[in-house]
Amino acid sequence: MGLLYYGVSQSDRAGRDALPSPLIGKPAPAFDLPLLHDPAKRVTNADLAGQPYVMNVWGSWCPECRVEHPILTQFALTKRVRFIGYNLKDEREDALRWLEQFGNPYMMVIADIEGRTAIDWGIYGAPETFLVDGNGVIRWKHVGAIDQAIIDHQLIPALEKIEAGR
């Protein structure tokens, strides 16, 4: 009973979606995944080295991804950081149709159809969002839909730390 009370009392706390990740501060797991729009081309984490990037995990099957999509699109338009889409366990046609319907804010979209790479990244589901620095180190992660407050109070400060070299 005490555990239930504790859980209920903590459920409205800010940051309840901020699951600790053992990968924060560590190199991003290696990947080699096809591009959604051109499956013959593949992208590796080495291809993204040199500048920070935000990687947003999404799927056409994910209702919360639709909720956060307009907010992420607005953030991507600032072009402050490279914005990479990570399409998880989706049918290619469904993912392409979803982007056509709601807009494509991503610089590129990589596709993990089987979800094998997602296991290495510790991805629980979608949506999840990562901030990776230019050295390939994961600096921030958010589980769940992103809103403007999360961008303003978590993502941008984490990006500012990277830009300041901290």
Side-chain angles (χ1 to χ4, degrees), residues 73-127:
T73 297
Q74 194 169 26
F75 175 71
L77 287 173
T78 68
K79 298 185 179 190
R80 180 163 184 170
V81 64
R82 295 182 296 169
F83 198 61
I84 311 297
Y86 186 108
N87 183 244
L88 178 64
K89 294 184 175 179
D90 216 343
E91 295 294 329
R92 182 172 183 268
E93 295 76 23
D94 293 342
L96 291 171
R97 188 177 318 109
W98 195 90
L99 288 173
E100 187 175 317
Q101 181 178 0
F102 299 110
N104 183 358
Y106 305 110
M107 181 183 124
M108 68 175 74
V109 180
I110 53 178
D112 187 3
I113 296 169
E114 301 296 324
R116 297 282 306 141
T117 300
I119 294 169
D120 295 339
W121 278 73
I123 294 171
Y124 297 96

Side-chain angles (χ1 to χ4, degrees), residues 24-155:
I24 302 295
K26 295 188 176 159
F31 66 86
D32 182 357
L33 292 169
L35 289 174
L36 178 68
H37 291 84
D38 186 358
K41 293 185 180 175
R42 300 187 72 84
V43 174
T44 68
N45 51 335
D47 295 329
L48 298 175
Q51 296 178 359
Y53 62 92
V54 170
M55 187 174 78
N56 175 245
V57 181
W58 66 280
S60 66
W61 45 265
C62 164
E64 287 297 306
C65 296
R66 189 171 171 179
V67 170
E68 72 173 6
H69 196 71
I71 296 158
L72 292 176
T73 297
Q74 194 169 26
F75 175 71
L77 287 173
T78 68
K79 298 185 179 190
R80 180 163 184 170
V81 64
R82 295 182 296 169
F83 198 61
I84 311 297
Y86 186 108
N87 183 244
L88 178 64
K89 294 184 175 179
D90 216 343
E91 295 294 329
R92 182 172 183 268
E93 295 76 23
D94 293 342
L96 291 171
R97 188 177 318 109
W98 195 90
L99 288 173
E100 187 175 317
Q101 181 178 0
F102 299 110
N104 183 358
Y106 305 110
M107 181 183 124
M108 68 175 74
V109 180
I110 53 178
D112 187 3
I113 296 169
E114 301 296 324
R116 297 282 306 141
T117 300
I119 294 169
D120 295 339
W121 278 73
I123 294 171
Y124 297 96
E128 291 189 21
T129 305
F130 295 82
L131 174 62
V132 180
D133 72 17
N135 295 319
V137 174
I138 297 174
R139 294 299 178 184
W140 178 82
K141 175 183 179 183
H142 180 78
V143 176
I146 296 272
D147 60 23
Q148 192 60 48
I150 292 168
I151 289 174
D152 292 342
H153 302 295
Q154 294 180 32
L155 178 56

